[in-house]
Amino acid sequence: MSSRIAYMLDINGRRRIVDVEGTTPLLWVMTEEPGLSCMPFACSAGLCGACTIEVDGVTVRACSFPVEEAVGRRIVSPGGLNETYRVDGQG
Ligand code: FES
């Protein structure tokens, strides 16, 4: 039996607290976030790559990456990548 826990996540440089089961895929959380409505649900099985994001600079499929593994790591959505470049002055 799994239970819901509050997890703090760093998504596009903003801290978000989500109350979900640890095995919940990041994609489910990210589609609920304001400004991340571009995150697509496509195959939802880790096959098509439509939901590709970066976690600590490594590309992963958000639909198959559990929230509990994202805690304490930097999550960047495709839209957030542009925002990050602007903030850091690299882009
Ligand atoms: S929705 Fe297809 S890989 Fe995630």
Side-chain angles (χ1 to χ4, degrees):
M1 180 175 158
S2 56
S3 58
R4 296 169 68 102
I5 298 176
Y7 293 94
M8 183 176 291
L9 301 176
D10 175 345
I11 303 174
N12 295 337
R14 295 187 182 132
R15 290 191 178 153
R16 325 274 177 134
I17 295 175
V18 297
D19 185 13
V20 296
E21 293 182 12
T23 55
T24 302
L26 263 180
L27 181 59
W28 274 246
V29 170
M30 294 178 77
T31 55
E32 298 293 320
E33 289 296 317
L36 296 179
S37 57
C38 65
M39 291 298 296
F41 278 95
C43 72
S44 297
L47 301 173
C48 72
C51 66
T52 300
I53 60 170
E54 285 189 2
V55 176
D56 281 348
V58 177
T59 56
V60 301
R61 307 281 164 86
C63 68
S64 57
F65 197 90
V67 166
E68 62 194 359
E69 290 187 28
V71 174
R73 302 170 77 180
R74 186 176 181 197
I75 304 160
V76 179
S77 72
L81 195 58
N82 291 336
E83 196 171 303
T84 300
Y85 281 134
R86 267 188 270 134
V87 170
D88 293 344
Q90 299 173 357

Coordinates of all heavy atoms in Angstrom, one line a residue:
M1 N 0.8 -1.2 0.0 CA 0.0 0.0 0.0 C 0.9 1.2 0.0 O 1.8 1.4 0.8 CB -0.9 0.0 1.2 CG -1.8 1.2 1.3 SD -2.9 0.9 2.8 CE -3.3 2.6 3.1
S2 N 0.6 2.1 -0.9 CA 1.4 3.4 -0.9 C 0.6 4.5 -0.4 O -0.6 4.4 -0.3 CB 1.9 3.7 -2.4 OG 0.7 3.7 -3.2
S3 N 1.3 5.6 0.1 CA 0.6 6.7 0.6 C 1.1 8.0 0.1 O 2.2 8.1 -0.4 CB 0.7 6.7 2.2 OG 2.1 6.7 2.5
R4 N 0.3 9.0 0.2 CA 0.6 10.3 -0.3 C 1.5 11.0 0.7 O 1.3 11.0 1.9 CB -0.6 11.1 -0.6 CG -1.5 10.5 -1.6 CD -2.8 11.2 -1.7 NE -2.7 12.6 -2.1 CZ -3.0 13.0 -3.3 NH1 -3.5 12.2 -4.2 NH2 -2.9 14.3 -3.7
I5 N 2.5 11.7 0.2 CA 3.5 12.5 1.0 C 3.7 13.8 0.3 O 3.6 13.9 -0.9 CB 4.8 11.7 1.1 CG1 4.6 10.4 1.8 CG2 5.8 12.5 1.9 CD1 5.9 9.5 1.9
A6 N 4.0 14.8 1.1 CA 4.4 16.1 0.5 C 5.8 16.1 0.0 O 6.7 15.8 0.9 CB 4.1 17.3 1.4
Y7 N 6.1 16.3 -1.2 CA 7.4 16.4 -1.8 C 7.7 17.8 -2.2 O 6.9 18.4 -2.8 CB 7.6 15.4 -3.0 CG 7.4 14.0 -2.6 CD1 6.2 13.3 -2.7 CD2 8.5 13.2 -2.2 CE1 6.1 12.0 -2.4 CE2 8.4 11.9 -1.9 CZ 7.2 11.3 -2.0 OH 7.1 10.0 -1.7
M8 N 8.9 18.3 -1.9 CA 9.3 19.6 -2.5 C 10.2 19.3 -3.7 O 11.2 18.6 -3.7 CB 10.2 20.4 -1.5 CG 10.5 21.8 -2.0 SD 11.4 22.8 -0.8 CE 10.1 23.1 0.4
L9 N 9.8 20.0 -4.8 CA 10.4 19.8 -6.1 C 10.9 21.2 -6.6 O 10.3 22.2 -6.3 CB 9.5 19.2 -7.1 CG 8.9 17.8 -6.8 CD1 7.9 17.4 -7.9 CD2 10.0 16.8 -6.6
D10 N 12.0 21.2 -7.3 CA 12.6 22.4 -8.0 C 12.3 22.2 -9.5 O 12.9 21.4 -10.2 CB 14.1 22.5 -7.7 CG 14.7 23.6 -8.5 OD1 14.1 24.1 -9.4 OD2 15.9 23.9 -8.2
I11 N 11.2 22.9 -9.9 CA 10.8 22.8 -11.3 C 11.1 24.2 -12.0 O 10.5 25.2 -11.6 CB 9.3 22.4 -11.5 CG1 9.1 21.1 -10.8 CG2 9.0 22.4 -12.9 CD1 7.6 20.6 -10.8
N12 N 12.0 24.2 -12.9 CA 12.3 25.5 -13.6 C 12.7 26.6 -12.6 O 12.4 27.7 -12.8 CB 11.1 26.0 -14.5 CG 10.9 25.0 -15.6 OD1 11.7 24.2 -16.0 ND2 9.6 25.1 -16.1
G13 N 13.5 26.2 -11.6 CA 14.0 27.1 -10.7 C 13.0 27.6 -9.6 O 13.4 28.4 -8.8
R14 N 11.8 27.0 -9.6 CA 10.8 27.4 -8.6 C 10.5 26.2 -7.7 O 10.4 25.1 -8.2 CB 9.5 27.9 -9.2 CG 9.8 29.1 -10.0 CD 8.4 29.7 -10.5 NE 8.7 30.9 -11.3 CZ 8.2 31.1 -12.5 NH1 7.4 30.3 -13.0 NH2 8.5 32.2 -13.1
R15 N 10.4 26.4 -6.4 CA 10.1 25.3 -5.5 C 8.6 25.1 -5.5 O 7.9 26.0 -5.3 CB 10.7 25.6 -4.1 CG 12.1 25.5 -4.1 CD 12.7 25.6 -2.7 NE 14.1 25.5 -2.8 CZ 14.9 26.0 -1.8 NH1 14.4 26.5 -0.8 NH2 16.2 25.8 -2.0
R16 N 8.2 23.8 -5.6 CA 6.8 23.5 -5.6 C 6.7 22.3 -4.6 O 7.5 21.4 -4.6 CB 6.4 23.0 -7.0 CG 7.0 23.6 -8.2 CD 6.2 24.9 -8.5 NE 6.9 25.5 -9.7 CZ 6.3 26.0 -10.7 NH1 5.0 25.8 -10.9 NH2 7.0 26.5 -11.7
I17 N 5.6 22.4 -3.9 CA 5.3 21.3 -3.0 C 4.1 20.5 -3.6 O 3.1 21.1 -3.9 CB 4.9 21.8 -1.5 CG1 6.2 22.4 -0.9 CG2 4.4 20.6 -0.7 CD1 5.9 23.1 0.4
V18 N 4.3 19.2 -3.8 CA 3.2 18.4 -4.3 C 2.9 17.3 -3.3 O 3.8 16.8 -2.7 CB 3.7 17.8 -5.7 CG1 3.9 18.9 -6.7 CG2 4.9 17.0 -5.6
D19 N 1.6 17.0 -3.2 CA 1.2 16.0 -2.3 C 0.7 14.8 -3.1 O -0.5 14.8 -3.6 CB 0.0 16.6 -1.5 CG -0.4 15.6 -0.4 OD1 0.2 14.6 -0.1 OD2 -1.5 15.9 0.2
V20 N 1.6 13.9 -3.4 CA 1.2 12.7 -4.2 C 1.9 11.5 -3.7 O 2.7 11.5 -2.8 CB 1.8 13.0 -5.7 CG1 1.0 14.2 -6.3 CG2 3.3 13.2 -5.7
E21 N 1.6 10.4 -4.3 CA 2.3 9.1 -4.0 C 3.7 9.2 -4.7 O 3.8 9.8 -5.7 CB 1.6 7.9 -4.5 CG 0.3 7.7 -3.8 CD -0.4 6.4 -4.3 OE1 0.2 5.7 -5.1 OE2 -1.6 6.3 -4.0
G22 N 4.7 8.7 -4.0 CA 6.1 8.8 -4.5 C 6.3 8.2 -5.9 O 7.2 8.7 -6.6
T23 N 5.5 7.3 -6.2 CA 5.7 6.6 -7.5 C 5.0 7.4 -8.7 O 5.1 7.0 -9.8 CB 5.2 5.2 -7.5 OG1 3.8 5.2 -7.0 CG2 6.0 4.3 -6.5
T24 N 4.3 8.5 -8.3 CA 3.6 9.2 -9.3 C 4.6 9.8 -10.4 O 5.6 10.4 -10.0 CB 2.8 10.4 -8.7 OG1 1.9 9.9 -7.7 CG2 2.1 11.2 -9.7
P25 N 4.3 9.6 -11.6 CA 5.2 10.1 -12.6 C 5.3 11.7 -12.6 O 4.3 12.3 -12.4 CB 4.6 9.6 -14.0 CG 3.8 8.4 -13.6 CD 3.3 8.7 -12.2
L26 N 6.4 12.2 -12.8 CA 6.6 13.7 -12.8 C 5.7 14.3 -13.8 O 5.2 15.4 -13.6 CB 8.1 14.0 -13.2 CG 9.0 14.3 -12.1 CD1 10.4 14.6 -12.7 CD2 8.6 15.4 -11.2
L27 N 5.4 13.7 -14.9 CA 4.5 14.3 -15.9 C 3.2 14.7 -15.3 O 2.6 15.7 -15.6 CB 4.3 13.4 -17.1 CG 3.5 13.9 -18.3 CD1 4.1 15.2 -18.8 CD2 3.3 12.9 -19.4
W28 N 2.6 13.8 -14.5 CA 1.3 14.1 -13.9 C 1.4 15.3 -13.0 O 0.4 16.1 -13.0 CB 0.9 12.9 -13.0 CG 0.2 11.8 -13.8 CD1 -1.1 11.4 -13.7 CD2 0.8 10.9 -14.8 NE1 -1.4 10.4 -14.5 CE2 -0.3 10.1 -15.2 CE3 2.0 10.8 -15.4 CZ2 -0.1 9.1 -16.2 CZ3 2.2 9.9 -16.4 CH2 1.2 9.1 -16.8
V29 N 2.5 15.5 -12.3 CA 2.6 16.7 -11.5 C 2.9 18.0 -12.3 O 2.3 19.0 -12.1 CB 3.8 16.5 -10.5 CG1 4.2 17.8 -9.8 CG2 3.5 15.4 -9.5
M30 N 3.7 17.8 -13.4 CA 4.1 19.0 -14.2 C 2.9 19.5 -15.0 O 2.8 20.7 -15.2 CB 5.3 18.7 -15.0 CG 6.5 18.4 -14.2 SD 8.0 17.9 -15.1 CE 8.4 19.5 -15.8
T31 N 2.0 18.7 -15.4 CA 0.9 19.2 -16.2 C -0.1 19.9 -15.3 O -0.9 20.7 -15.8 CB 0.1 18.0 -16.9 OG1 -0.3 17.1 -15.9 CG2 1.0 17.4 -17.9
E32 N 0.0 19.8 -14.0 CA -0.8 20.5 -13.0 C -0.3 21.9 -12.7 O -0.9 22.7 -12.1 CB -1.0 19.7 -11.7 CG -1.7 18.4 -11.9 CD -3.1 18.5 -12.3 OE1 -3.8 19.4 -11.8 OE2 -3.6 17.8 -13.2
E33 N 1.0 22.1 -13.1 CA 1.7 23.4 -12.7 C 1.3 24.5 -13.6 O 1.3 24.3 -14.8 CB 3.2 23.2 -12.7 CG 3.7 22.3 -11.6 CD 3.4 23.0 -10.2 OE1 3.6 24.2 -10.1 OE2 3.0 22.2 -9.3
P34 N 1.0 25.7 -13.1 CA 0.7 26.9 -13.9 C 2.0 27.1 -14.8 O 3.1 27.1 -14.3 CB 0.5 28.0 -12.9 CG 0.2 27.3 -11.6 CD 0.9 26.0 -11.7
G35 N 1.7 27.4 -16.1 CA 2.8 27.8 -17.0 C 3.5 26.6 -17.6 O 4.4 26.7 -18.4
L36 N 3.1 25.3 -17.2 CA 3.7 24.2 -17.8 C 2.6 23.4 -18.6 O 2.7 22.2 -18.8 CB 4.2 23.2 -16.7 CG 5.4 23.8 -15.9 CD1 5.8 22.8 -14.9 CD2 6.6 24.2 -16.9
S37 N 1.6 24.1 -19.1 CA 0.5 23.4 -19.8 C 1.0 22.8 -21.1 O 0.3 22.0 -21.7 CB -0.6 24.4 -20.1 OG -0.1 25.5 -20.8
C38 N 2.2 23.2 -21.6 CA 2.7 22.6 -22.8 C 3.3 21.2 -22.6 O 3.6 20.5 -23.6 CB 3.8 23.5 -23.4 SG 5.3 23.5 -22.4
M39 N 3.3 20.7 -21.4 CA 3.8 19.3 -21.2 C 2.8 18.4 -21.7 O 1.6 18.3 -21.3 CB 4.0 19.1 -19.7 CG 5.2 19.8 -19.1 SD 6.8 19.4 -19.8 CE 6.9 17.7 -19.4
P40 N 3.1 17.6 -22.7 CA 2.1 16.7 -23.4 C 2.0 15.3 -22.7 O 2.9 14.8 -22.2 CB 2.7 16.6 -24.8 CG 4.2 16.6 -24.5 CD 4.4 17.5 -23.3
F41 N 0.8 14.8 -22.8 CA 0.5 13.4 -22.5 C 0.5 12.8 -23.9 O -0.3 13.2 -24.8 CB -0.8 13.2 -21.9 CG -0.8 13.4 -20.4 CD1 -1.2 14.6 -19.8 CD2 -0.4 12.4 -19.6 CE1 -1.2 14.8 -18.5 CE2 -0.4 12.6 -18.2 CZ -0.8 13.8 -17.6
A42 N 1.3 11.9 -24.2 CA 1.3 11.2 -25.5 C 1.2 9.7 -25.2 O 0.1 9.2 -24.9 CB 2.5 11.6 -26.3
C43 N 2.3 9.0 -25.3 CA 2.2 7.5 -25.1 C 2.0 7.2 -23.6 O 1.5 6.2 -23.3 CB 3.4 6.8 -25.7 SG 4.9 7.1 -24.8
S44 N 2.6 8.1 -22.7 CA 2.6 7.8 -21.3 C 3.2 6.5 -20.9 O 2.9 5.9 -19.8 CB 1.2 7.9 -20.7 OG 0.6 9.2 -20.9
A45 N 4.1 6.0 -21.7 CA 4.8 4.8 -21.5 C 6.3 4.8 -21.7 O 7.0 3.8 -21.7 CB 4.2 3.7 -22.4
G46 N 6.9 6.1 -21.8 CA 8.3 6.2 -22.0 C 8.8 5.8 -23.3 O 10.0 5.6 -23.5
L47 N 7.9 5.8 -24.3 CA 8.3 5.3 -25.7 C 8.5 6.5 -26.7 O 9.4 6.4 -27.5 CB 7.2 4.4 -26.2 CG 7.0 3.1 -25.3 CD1 5.8 2.4 -25.9 CD2 8.2 2.3 -25.3
C48 N 7.7 7.5 -26.7 CA 7.7 8.5 -27.8 C 8.7 9.7 -27.6 O 9.1 10.3 -28.5 CB 6.3 9.0 -28.0 SG 5.7 10.1 -26.8
G49 N 8.9 10.0 -26.3 CA 9.9 11.1 -26.0 C 9.2 12.5 -26.0 O 9.9 13.5 -25.7
A50 N 7.9 12.5 -26.2 CA 7.2 13.8 -26.2 C 7.3 14.6 -24.8 O 7.2 15.8 -24.8 CB 5.7 13.6 -26.5
C51 N 7.5 13.8 -23.8 CA 7.5 14.4 -22.4 C 8.9 14.6 -21.9 O 9.1 14.7 -20.7 CB 6.7 13.6 -21.5 SG 7.4 12.0 -21.2
T52 N 9.9 14.6 -22.8 CA 11.3 14.7 -22.3 C 11.6 16.0 -21.6 O 11.2 17.1 -22.0 CB 12.2 14.6 -23.6 OG1 12.0 13.3 -24.2 CG2 13.7 14.7 -23.1
I53 N 12.2 15.8 -20.4 CA 12.7 16.9 -19.6 C 14.1 16.7 -19.1 O 14.7 15.7 -19.5 CB 11.8 17.1 -18.3 CG1 11.8 15.8 -17.5 CG2 10.3 17.4 -18.7 CD1 11.2 15.9 -16.1
E54 N 14.7 17.6 -18.4 CA 16.0 17.4 -17.8 C 15.9 17.3 -16.3 O 15.2 18.1 -15.7 CB 16.9 18.5 -18.2 CG 17.4 18.5 -19.6 CD 18.5 19.5 -19.8 OE1 19.0 20.2 -18.9 OE2 19.0 19.6 -21.0
V55 N 16.6 16.4 -15.7 CA 16.7 16.3 -14.3 C 18.2 16.2 -14.0 O 18.9 15.3 -14.4 CB 16.0 15.0 -13.7 CG1 16.3 14.9 -12.2 CG2 14.5 15.0 -14.0
D56 N 18.7 17.3 -13.3 CA 20.1 17.5 -13.1 C 20.9 17.4 -14.4 O 22.0 16.8 -14.5 CB 20.6 16.5 -12.1 CG 20.3 16.9 -10.6 OD1 19.9 18.0 -10.4 OD2 20.5 16.0 -9.8
G57 N 20.4 18.0 -15.5 CA 21.1 18.0 -16.7 C 21.0 16.8 -17.6 O 21.6 16.7 -18.7
V58 N 20.3 15.8 -17.1 CA 20.2 14.5 -17.8 C 18.8 14.4 -18.4 O 17.8 14.6 -17.6 CB 20.5 13.3 -16.9 CG1 20.3 12.0 -17.7 CG2 21.9 13.4 -16.4
T59 N 18.6 14.1 -19.7 CA 17.3 14.0 -20.2 C 16.6 12.7 -19.7 O 17.2 11.6 -19.7 CB 17.3 14.0 -21.8 OG1 18.1 13.0 -22.2 CG2 17.8 15.3 -22.3
V60 N 15.3 12.8 -19.3 CA 14.5 11.7 -18.9 C 13.1 11.9 -19.4 O 12.8 13.0 -19.9 CB 14.5 11.6 -17.3 CG1 15.8 11.5 -16.7 CG2 13.7 12.8 -16.7
R61 N 12.4 10.8 -19.4 CA 11.0 10.9 -19.8 C 10.1 11.1 -18.6 O 10.1 10.3 -17.7 CB 10.6 9.6 -20.5 CG 11.5 9.2 -21.7 CD 11.2 10.0 -22.9 NE 12.3 9.9 -23.9 CZ 12.4 9.0 -24.8 NH1 11.6 7.9 -24.9 NH2 13.4 9.0 -25.7
A62 N 9.4 12.2 -18.5 CA 8.7 12.6 -17.4 C 7.5 11.6 -17.1 O 7.1 11.5 -15.9 CB 8.1 14.0 -17.5
C63 N 7.0 11.0 -18.1 CA 5.9 10.0 -17.8 C 6.4 8.8 -17.1 O 5.5 8.0 -16.7 CB 5.2 9.7 -19.1 SG 6.2 8.7 -20.3
S64 N 7.7 8.5 -17.1 CA 8.1 7.3 -16.4 C 9.2 7.6 -15.4 O 10.0 6.7 -15.0 CB 8.7 6.3 -17.5 OG 9.7 6.9 -18.2
F65 N 9.2 8.8 -14.9 CA 10.2 9.2 -13.9 C 9.4 9.6 -12.6 O 8.7 10.5 -12.6 CB 11.0 10.4 -14.3 CG 12.3 10.7 -13.5 CD1 13.5 10.1 -13.9 CD2 12.2 11.5 -12.4 CE1 14.6 10.3 -13.2 CE2 13.4 11.7 -11.7 CZ 14.6 11.1 -12.1
P66 N 9.6 8.8 -11.5 CA 8.8 9.0 -10.3 C 9.2 10.2 -9.5 O 10.4 10.6 -9.4 CB 9.1 7.7 -9.5 CG 10.3 7.2 -10.0 CD 10.5 7.6 -11.4
V67 N 8.2 10.9 -9.0 CA 8.4 12.1 -8.2 C 9.4 11.8 -7.1 O 10.3 12.7 -6.8 CB 7.0 12.5 -7.5 CG1 7.2 13.5 -6.4 CG2 6.1 13.1 -8.6
E68 N 9.4 10.7 -6.4 CA 10.3 10.5 -5.3 C 11.8 10.5 -5.7 O 12.6 10.8 -4.9 CB 10.0 9.2 -4.5 CG 10.1 7.9 -5.4 CD 9.4 6.7 -4.8 OE1 8.9 6.8 -3.7 OE2 9.5 5.7 -5.5
E69 N 12.1 10.2 -6.9 CA 13.5 10.3 -7.4 C 13.9 11.7 -7.8 O 15.0 11.9 -8.1 CB 13.7 9.3 -8.6 CG 13.6 7.8 -8.1 CD 14.0 6.9 -9.2 OE1 14.7 7.2 -10.1 OE2 13.5 5.7 -9.2
A70 N 12.9 12.6 -7.9 CA 13.2 14.0 -8.4 C 13.5 14.9 -7.2 O 13.9 16.0 -7.4 CB 12.1 14.5 -9.2
V71 N 13.3 14.5 -6.0 CA 13.5 15.4 -4.8 C 14.9 15.7 -4.7 O 15.8 14.9 -4.8 CB 13.0 14.7 -3.5 CG1 13.3 15.5 -2.3 CG2 11.5 14.4 -3.6
G72 N 15.2 17.0 -4.5 CA 16.6 17.5 -4.3 C 17.3 17.7 -5.6 O 18.5 18.0 -5.6
R73 N 16.6 17.5 -6.7 CA 17.3 17.6 -8.1 C 16.6 18.7 -8.8 O 15.5 19.1 -8.6 CB 17.1 16.2 -8.8 CG 17.8 15.1 -7.9 CD 17.5 13.8 -8.5 NE 18.3 13.5 -9.6 CZ 18.2 12.4 -10.3 NH1 17.4 11.4 -9.9 NH2 19.0 12.2 -11.3
R74 N 17.4 19.2 -9.8 CA 16.9 20.3 -10.6 C 16.1 19.8 -11.9 O 16.7 19.2 -12.7 CB 18.1 21.2 -11.1 CG 17.7 22.4 -11.8 CD 19.0 23.2 -12.1 NE 18.6 24.5 -12.7 CZ 19.5 25.2 -13.4 NH1 20.7 24.8 -13.5 NH2 19.1 26.3 -14.0
I75 N 14.8 20.1 -11.9 CA 14.0 19.7 -13.0 C 13.7 20.9 -13.9 O 13.4 21.9 -13.5 CB 12.6 19.2 -12.4 CG1 12.8 18.1 -11.4 CG2 11.7 18.8 -13.5 CD1 11.7 17.9 -10.4
V76 N 14.0 20.6 -15.2 CA 13.8 21.7 -16.2 C 12.9 21.2 -17.3 O 13.2 20.1 -18.0 CB 15.1 22.2 -16.8 CG1 14.9 23.3 -17.8 CG2 16.0 22.7 -15.7
S77 N 11.8 21.9 -17.6 CA 10.9 21.5 -18.7 C 11.5 22.2 -20.0 O 12.3 23.1 -19.9 CB 9.5 22.0 -18.4 OG 9.4 23.4 -18.5
P78 N 11.0 21.8 -21.1 CA 11.5 22.5 -22.4 C 11.3 24.0 -22.3 O 12.2 24.7 -22.7 CB 10.6 21.8 -23.5 CG 10.3 20.5 -22.9 CD 10.1 20.7 -21.4
G79 N 10.1 24.5 -21.9 CA 9.9 25.9 -21.7 C 10.8 26.5 -20.7 O 11.3 27.6 -20.8
G80 N 11.1 25.8 -19.6 CA 11.9 26.3 -18.5 C 13.4 26.4 -19.0 O 14.1 27.2 -18.4
L81 N 13.8 25.6 -19.9 CA 15.2 25.7 -20.4 C 15.4 27.1 -21.0 O 16.4 27.7 -20.7 CB 15.4 24.7 -21.5 CG 16.8 24.4 -21.9 CD1 17.6 23.9 -20.7 CD2 16.8 23.3 -23.0
N82 N 14.5 27.6 -21.8 CA 14.7 29.0 -22.3 C 14.7 30.0 -21.2 O 15.5 30.9 -21.2 CB 13.5 29.3 -23.2 CG 13.6 28.5 -24.5 OD1 14.6 28.1 -24.9 ND2 12.4 28.4 -25.1
E83 N 13.8 29.8 -20.2 CA 13.8 30.7 -19.0 C 15.1 30.7 -18.2 O 15.7 31.7 -17.8 CB 12.6 30.3 -18.1 CG 12.2 31.3 -17.1 CD 10.9 30.9 -16.4 OE1 9.9 30.7 -17.1 OE2 11.0 30.8 -15.2
T84 N 15.7 29.5 -18.1 CA 16.9 29.3 -17.4 C 18.0 30.0 -18.1 O 18.9 30.7 -17.5 CB 17.3 27.8 -17.2 OG1 16.2 27.2 -16.5 CG2 18.6 27.6 -16.5
Y85 N 18.1 29.9 -19.4 CA 19.1 30.6 -20.1 C 19.1 32.1 -19.9 O 20.1 32.8 -19.8 CB 19.0 30.3 -21.6 CG 19.6 28.9 -22.0 CD1 18.9 28.0 -22.8 CD2 20.9 28.5 -21.5 CE1 19.5 26.8 -23.1 CE2 21.4 27.3 -21.8 CZ 20.7 26.4 -22.6 OH 21.2 25.2 -22.9
R86 N 17.8 32.6 -19.9 CA 17.7 34.1 -19.8 C 18.2 34.5 -18.4 O 18.9 35.4 -18.2 CB 16.2 34.5 -19.9 CG 15.9 34.9 -21.4 CD 14.6 35.5 -21.5 NE 13.7 34.4 -21.8 CZ 12.5 34.1 -21.2 NH1 12.1 34.9 -20.3 NH2 11.8 33.1 -21.5
V87 N 17.8 33.7 -17.3 CA 18.2 34.0 -16.0 C 19.7 34.0 -15.8 O 20.3 34.8 -15.2 CB 17.4 33.1 -15.0 CG1 18.0 33.3 -13.6 CG2 16.0 33.4 -15.0
D88 N 20.3 32.9 -16.4 CA 21.7 32.8 -16.2 C 22.5 33.6 -17.2 O 23.7 33.7 -17.1 CB 22.1 31.3 -16.5 CG 21.5 30.4 -15.4 OD1 21.1 30.9 -14.3 OD2 21.5 29.2 -15.6
G89 N 21.9 34.2 -18.1 CA 22.6 35.1 -19.1 C 23.4 34.3 -20.1 O 24.3 34.8 -20.7
Q90 N 23.0 33.0 -20.3 CA 23.7 32.1 -21.2 C 23.1 32.0 -22.6 O 23.6 31.4 -23.5 CB 23.9 30.7 -20.6 CG 24.6 30.7 -19.3 CD 24.6 29.3 -18.7 OE1 23.9 28.4 -19.3 NE2 25.3 29.2 -17.6
G91 N 21.9 32.5 -22.7 CA 21.2 32.3 -24.0 C 20.8 33.5 -24.7 O 21.1 34.6 -24.7
Ligands
FES1 S1 4.5 10.6 -23.2 FE1 5.7 9.4 -24.6 S2 7.6 9.1 -23.6 FE2 6.4 10.2 -22.2

